[in-house]
Amino acid sequence: MRLWRNGNVTILGSIKSWKSLLDLKRKDQISTAALSTSTVTTSRRRIPTVFNLVRLYSTEELQQPQLSVDLIKMMEQRLSSIENRNAHLQRFLNQPELTPSEYSTANKELKKLRDSVDLITELRAKQKEIQELKSVLSECQDDKDMQKMASEELSEATEGEKELQLLLLKSLLPKDDADERDSILEVRAGTGGEEASLFAMDIFKMYEKYSAKKGWKYEVLEIAESDLKGYKEAIASISGSGVYGKLKFESGIHRVQRVPVTEKGGRVHTSAVSVAILPQADQLDVKLRNEDLKIDTYRSGGSGGQHANTTNSAVRITHVPSGITVSIQDERSQHMNKAKALKILCAKLYEIERLRFQSSRSKLRLEQIGSGDRSERIRTYNFPQGRVTDHRVGITTHSLDDVMQGEDLDTFIDALLLREEMDAITSFSST
């Protein structure tokens, strides 16, 4: 919407005002000079789309996706069906003879459509605006000033239409049901001895700080310390809205380059830790049967006091069909250790089933983002240079301290989620 002022003449609006503006100019009630020098304010709605992220992470690999004509036609068919379904549900809910169950079911479906319908409504308004601007352009072919201003509005409206189309396409793409689940975080020291264990502790605490920033619940399930109080292995449960969808691409090898505390010569060493992010599941999700489990109890070692070392509080659960074993000795209570072990076991089994189901994932996604396999090197933390580089999207930040404090981790997470979205659009376009 634009505001034009010239003496006592004020025109407020965008599309309807163009024809009024054109009429006034033809009647010499507003001058060309006034049009070119008048104050212009724009109140265009800002749409948080992937375009903004593309501008933020401007690399050769992250280019704005192009929507083909055929893809837009396919999408328009789907949008029309959503509009028709929404209208049908509106009429259905207005029937007085509905049962409570029928009303509840229809209303629930209507709420699911609400966000898409709102975007479609905005898209239709934008498309109407474009048609009216084209009409203005055809009516003032001999007026260069009006042509210029209307062309600028048309360009802006066309860009807005593309953004809305991309948002709607994103809403139509297949979604991973696991994205809304809580997560199990596993961090293990790899090559590098004690230095790897110390870095594993740093990474584990980085995710704890990041979780606190997001308002998520971070519960430590198990920690196995090294001689220097680093973490040989650490496991946590992270609970909150969309945790797995946000963290799923953190799985892989995290490499560190720094001078270890045990290094007396000041030489930089390279060490690594593995990170695994698993969606949480319960026994119903994985159909866990008691006859498939072998449960052993034993005396726990390490810290925990005399009680922990003299009772069989530690628990080891083996899933016989898969051979997966989970051991927990973090709690003094055998019952609590068993509950934690079952939580981790269910997550592992659920992830196996998910990967089996998703084995047909596109080659493009596997190549560009990575498989999420914990054996894949994904990120390097270079302490002497104060930089962190994600090798999948080619992004480097020199705010290493902020990343380790959980502050700038979104730099990489958002770029990876953007890449996933763009790959999905590319795949959708090629089918």
Side-chain angles (χ1 to χ4, degrees):
M1 183 175 292
R2 297 195 174 191
L3 179 66
W4 306 92
R5 292 190 181 93
N6 181 40
N8 295 325
V9 180
T10 300
I11 300 176
L12 178 64
S14 178
I15 299 303
K16 293 181 180 179
S17 301
W18 276 108
K19 293 185 177 180
S20 301
L21 186 63
L22 183 59
D23 291 340
L24 285 171
K25 189 171 186 295
R26 285 171 177 168
K27 296 176 183 178
D28 294 327
Q29 292 180 8
I30 186 168
S31 66
T32 300
L35 288 176
S36 61
T37 59
S38 57
T39 302
V40 179
T41 59
T42 302
S43 59
R44 180 187 172 201
R45 176 179 180 267
R46 293 296 300 164
I47 304 172
T49 69
V50 295
F51 291 111
N52 299 325
L53 281 172
V54 170
R55 285 192 289 267
L56 179 61
Y57 304 117
S58 55
T59 67
E60 292 183 0
E61 296 180 346
L62 292 177
Q63 297 295 328
Q64 176 176 312
Q66 299 296 319
L67 304 187
S68 67
V69 174
D70 290 338
L71 178 59
I72 292 175
K73 287 181 179 179
M74 291 169 55
M75 186 177 68
E76 280 291 341
Q77 293 176 354
R78 176 62 179 149
L79 298 186
S80 295
S81 68
I82 292 175
E83 289 175 305
N84 293 334
R85 183 61 180 169
N86 180 71
H88 169 75
L89 290 171
Q90 293 279 11
R91 293 192 298 269
F92 182 76
L93 288 171
N94 287 329
Q95 297 178 13
E97 65 274 12
L98 289 182
T99 66
S101 176
E102 289 175 330
Y103 184 90
S104 176
T105 300
N107 192 49
K108 185 177 181 179
E109 182 181 354
L110 189 65
K111 287 181 178 179
K112 288 183 179 180
L113 294 177
R114 182 173 298 164
D115 289 343
S116 294
V117 170
D118 288 345
L119 282 173
I120 293 172
T121 301
E122 191 169 353
L123 175 64
R124 298 306 183 216
K126 188 66 66 176
Q127 290 170 338
K128 182 180 179 182
E129 178 183 349
I130 289 171
Q131 291 303 315
E132 291 180 336
L133 280 168
K134 288 180 178 178
S135 176
V136 169
L137 283 170
S138 66
E139 293 179 16
C140 61
Q141 294 182 4
D142 296 331
D143 193 321
K144 293 183 179 180
D145 296 313
M146 290 296 294
Q147 281 272 330
K148 180 180 179 181
M149 289 184 292
S151 295
E152 290 174 355
E153 280 282 338
L154 180 59
S155 176
E156 184 177 294
T158 302
E159 185 67 21
E161 180 192 31
K162 291 178 181 178
E163 291 181 351
L164 286 165
Q165 286 173 333
L166 194 57
L167 269 180
L168 282 163
L169 176 59
K170 176 184 174 182
S171 71
L172 299 178
L173 295 174
K175 295 177 177 59
D176 188 344
D177 292 337
D179 283 353
E180 294 303 316
R181 289 179 178 260
D182 299 334
S183 293
I184 295 292
L185 163 69
E186 294 182 338
V187 179
R188 289 186 175 84
T191 56
E194 283 290 347
E195 167 61 9
S197 297
L198 292 170
F199 184 58
M201 178 180 66
D202 293 339
I203 290 292
F204 193 71
K205 291 182 176 180
M206 177 185 74
Y207 289 118
E208 183 176 12
K209 294 169 184 175
Y210 181 76
S211 298
K213 174 188 172 186
K214 294 294 183 182
W216 297 338
K217 179 182 178 182
Y218 191 93
E219 178 188 2
V220 176
L221 299 181
E222 175 78 351
I223 291 177
E225 292 186 336
S226 67
D227 293 339
L228 294 181
K229 302 300 181 181
Y231 295 167
K232 294 179 181 177
E233 178 183 15
I235 304 173
S237 168
I238 308 177
S239 305
S241 176
V243 171
Y244 180 73
K246 193 77 172 174
L247 294 178
K248 58 186 176 182
F249 294 124
E250 291 300 291
S251 292
I253 299 298
H254 295 240
R255 188 177 66 171
V256 60
Q257 295 172 330
R258 65 183 180 186
V259 179
V261 294
T262 55
E263 170 60 49
K264 297 181 180 179
R267 294 175 299 174
V268 174
H269 289 224
T270 298
S271 304
V273 305
S274 66
V275 172
I277 302 289
L278 308 174
Q280 284 196 31
D282 55 34
Q283 296 187 40
L284 293 177
D285 290 319
V286 296
K287 299 178 181 178
L288 200 62
R289 302 183 305 172
N290 290 331
E291 53 265 35
D292 291 336
L293 302 178
K294 179 183 177 183
I295 302 176
D296 300 311
T297 59
Y298 57 96
R299 293 182 180 181
S300 61
S303 60
Q306 184 178 1
H307 178 76
N309 289 303
T310 58
T311 63
N312 292 335
S313 59
V315 174
R316 181 189 302 111
I317 300 179
T318 302
H319 183 249
V320 177
S322 66
I324 295 175
T325 298
V326 178
S327 301
I328 294 290
Q329 59 176 5
D330 192 60
E331 301 288 345
R332 294 186 178 184
S333 163
Q334 183 185 115
H335 175 74
M336 294 180 69
N337 282 331
K338 180 180 177 182
K340 286 184 175 183
L342 282 173
K343 178 184 285 190
I344 297 170
L345 177 62
C346 287
K348 289 177 178 289
L349 293 173
Y350 180 71
E351 180 69 355
I352 290 174
E353 287 301 315
R354 285 185 68 255
L355 293 179
R356 185 177 300 163
F357 179 75
Q358 296 177 352
S359 59
S360 59
R361 286 180 299 181
S362 70
K363 181 181 179 182
L364 178 64
R365 177 188 177 281
L366 290 173
E367 288 177 347
Q368 294 186 343
I369 292 183
S371 63
D373 191 297
R374 68 192 67 181
S375 64
E376 178 188 8
R377 189 193 68 171
I378 63 169
R379 197 172 294 151
T380 295
Y381 304 73
N382 187 301
F383 279 73
Q385 298 179 15
R387 64 173 173 84
V388 184
T389 299
D390 194 288
H391 304 290
R392 295 162 294 180
V393 288
I395 291 176
T396 295
T397 176
H398 288 83
S399 303
L400 185 145
D401 290 340
D402 290 337
V403 171
M404 299 307 295
Q405 293 299 316
E407 295 294 330
D408 275 5
L409 195 55
D410 277 329
T411 299
F412 306 111
I413 290 176
D414 288 345
L416 288 161
L417 293 176
L418 166 64
R419 172 61 65 75
E420 179 191 35
E421 180 179 304
M422 293 174 65
D423 288 347
I425 291 172
T426 302
S427 178
F428 191 86
S429 303
S430 63
T431 57

